[in-house]
Amino acid sequence: MSDSKPAGQFFDAAIGLLQRVRDEEADSIVAAGTLIADTVADGGRLFAFGAGHSSLAAQDVVYRAGGLALMNLLSVPGVVGVDVMPATLGSALERVDGLASAVLDCSPVRSGDLLVIISLSGRNALPVEMAMNARALGVKVIGVTSVAYTAETKSRHVSGTFLKDHCDLVLDSKIAVGDAEITLESVPAPFAPASTVVTTALLQAVMATAAGALADRGIEPPLLRSGNVDGGHEWNGRVMTEYGDRIFYRR
């Protein structure tokens, strides 16, 4: 039964989206998790990138208790969150041509690595060029985006293409254009965004798949444990020592 109150409406919408992603993206989730497991097993490194609020989902899989220790944040100054002043600068930087190339050139990303690129609209120059340039380097790219934007908006990249057009695998978050789940006659604008909830859940499902795939091959997944449980620091120290050459957030 649906709820008539805004809080209930939001939960209903978020749950519905999570169910859609679970069911409709099941094959893609398995494929993405398998690709990550392949990269780990082959000695590659893992990176995640997102701009603005999409960076929240990227940060959620980096240095995370219960997550893969090898996932590193590919940071672009000014677009990682809303801490830059003014906050609108981050949005402006997403549209700057050439920024992605400069970031990749100065990063440790190399052929054989894997990069997860998260962009809800997938239409700005930064995520599009990030995917194009990463693949040119021999990097596997998993794009996490809302495919609906490709049908209802125009690309802001000179090529006229979207993030989804330059990925080895695409995960569709199913978020509607505008990222607002509730409309009320008494409120002049739609509200209640669900992209963060859905995208983070989607990526954690991929990470869980990767861990399971590694275990199925007889490879211990390089997982981190919470530092707030007994033995957690010792466990993490062992993992970080073993995989130190593939972990960059400690440097």
Side-chain angles (χ1 to χ4, degrees), residues 26 114 155 181 236:
L114 181 143
S155 169
E181 295 299 324
N236 293 342

Side-chain angles (χ1 to χ4, degrees), residues 123 146-155 162 175-178:
R123 67 190 296 226
S146 170
V147 175
Y149 276 82
T150 64
E152 300 182 41
T153 68
K154 292 182 179 180
S155 169
F162 289 78
I175 301 296
V177 173

Side-chain angles (χ1 to χ4, degrees), residues 162-174:
F162 289 78
L163 169 61
K164 78 170 186 66
D165 299 316
H166 305 284
C167 299
D168 295 277
L169 280 169
V170 175
L171 298 169
D172 184 3
S173 64
K174 315 295 180 181

Side-chain angles (χ1 to χ4, degrees), residues 19-84:
Q19 290 175 330
R20 281 192 64 196
V21 167
R22 179 194 63 190
D23 297 339
E24 297 173 21
E25 295 299 296
D27 291 342
S28 296
I29 289 170
V30 171
T34 302
L35 188 56
I36 289 174
D38 291 343
T39 303
V40 173
D42 292 341
R45 294 88 60 80
L46 308 175
F47 296 87
F49 165 76
H53 287 92
S54 290
S55 72
L56 296 175
Q59 294 177 58
D60 193 57
V61 294
V62 175
Y63 188 49
R64 191 73 164 85
L68 292 174
L70 306 192
M71 185 62 74
N72 301 277
L73 185 67
L74 183 60
S75 178
V76 179
V79 304
V80 176
V82 294
D83 56 334
V84 62

Side-chain angles (χ1 to χ4, degrees), residues 218-239:
I219 301 172
E220 180 184 330
L223 297 169
L224 295 173
R225 301 190 70 178
S226 171
N228 295 312
V229 300
D230 292 342
H233 286 299
E234 292 77 14
W235 173 282
N236 293 342
R238 175 184 64 81
V239 172

